[in-house]
Amino acid sequence: MNRYKILSWAAFVISIVLLILPRIIPICTGIMGNGNPMHCHYAYQAEFIVTLLAVILSASLFVLRTHEARLLASFVAFLLGIIVIILPQPWAIGICENGACLKTTFFETIGGSILAITGLLIALLTHKAQSEEVK
Amino acid sequence: MTLNRFLIVAFLVFSFGIVILFNGLNRAPLRYMEMDPNTPHKMGHSSQLQSDVDILQKRS
């Protein structure tokens, strides 16, 4: 198994973990006094859609054959990892100050960082392979 | 797996994910909480926190 496949599997597994993380480590389930869900609810609904896209994109790394396609897919996976980190920030959507939400966000941030690093490594690896092929 | 077949599977996975999101199965269900202004269960934004506290004070 070459390095590209190992990193692709890593990105796929991390995306799956990020997708089911709010099920494993739940966020708070409270509703605000006026009956609306809190910011954390919306933040993790958005996280679900982004990580669903990350799962499909990281799975596509197994079927893509050309260097350009692999480079683009891994770069978008890198960007999605950054979005996963950004969404719970107070200047984006935000979360409440409850311990459960902070705990979920802690692990979500670690997972998002790993996804971003993995995406970047795949992009660099593909770029290197592409340059060697041109030579 | 060819790319065409992958795109069909990916679309089905995406549709299934959206259905899960719509049904609220992706996370624990919401429940109404009796919020005490002294507990740490507060919004990070002071304006909304203040509106929550005002509503609770009106109720009590």
Side-chain angles (χ1 to χ4, degrees):
Chain A
M1 197 182 269
N2 59 16
R3 275 187 293 181
Y4 174 80
K5 276 209 167 169
I6 293 167
L7 287 170
S8 301
W9 270 108
F12 183 66
V13 171
I14 291 157
S15 305
I16 294 277
V17 170
L18 283 173
L19 189 72
I20 58 170
L21 194 73
R23 267 281 165 197
I24 304 166
I25 307 164
I27 59 167
C28 74
T29 52
I31 293 175
M32 283 198 295
N34 55 11
N36 291 331
M38 293 204 285
H39 281 199
C40 30
H41 166 77
Y42 297 114
Y44 280 90
Q45 295 290 85
E47 288 273 19
F48 183 81
I49 296 170
V50 171
T51 49
L52 188 63
L53 198 60
V55 169
I56 292 169
L57 207 67
S58 49
S60 77
L61 291 169
F62 299 116
V63 290
L64 294 174
R65 291 284 168 263
T66 62
H67 289 307
E68 284 89 356
R70 284 178 174 182
L71 194 63
L72 183 68
S74 54
F75 180 68
V76 177
F78 162 69
L79 295 181
L80 288 178
I82 293 173
I83 292 171
V84 165
I85 300 167
I86 286 173
L87 283 178
Q89 301 301 318
W91 47 271
I93 299 179
I95 53 159
C96 71
E97 292 168 6
N98 187 291
C101 292
L102 292 173
K103 194 177 170 186
T104 314
T105 305
F106 173 73
F107 288 108
E108 197 87 27
T109 307
I110 292 173
S113 313
I114 297 170
L115 180 66
I117 291 166
T118 313
L120 196 63
L121 284 176
I122 296 169
L124 290 173
L125 204 69
T126 313
H127 179 70
K128 198 181 163 189
Q130 193 183 21
S131 316
E132 281 171 4
E133 210 171 68
V134 170
K135 283 174 189 174
Chain B
M1 190 187 267
T2 61
L3 189 60
N4 286 335
R5 205 173 284 176
F6 172 78
L7 290 178
I8 295 164
V9 175
F11 182 73
L12 290 174
V13 169
F14 185 76
S15 308
F16 185 63
I18 296 298
V19 170
I20 286 173
L21 185 77
F22 182 76
N23 291 323
L25 297 171
N26 60 319
R27 52 177 302 254
L30 292 170
R31 63 192 167 84
Y32 184 78
M33 291 181 74
E34 284 298 332
M35 288 173 72
D36 180 0
N38 298 321
T39 62
H41 206 119
K42 296 171 184 172
M43 291 299 299
H45 304 271
S46 56
S47 58
Q48 292 191 2
L49 169 65
Q50 196 52 52
S51 66
D52 280 358
V53 173
D54 291 344
I55 289 164
L56 286 167
Q57 280 172 349
K58 277 179 192 172
R59 281 184 184 176
S60 60

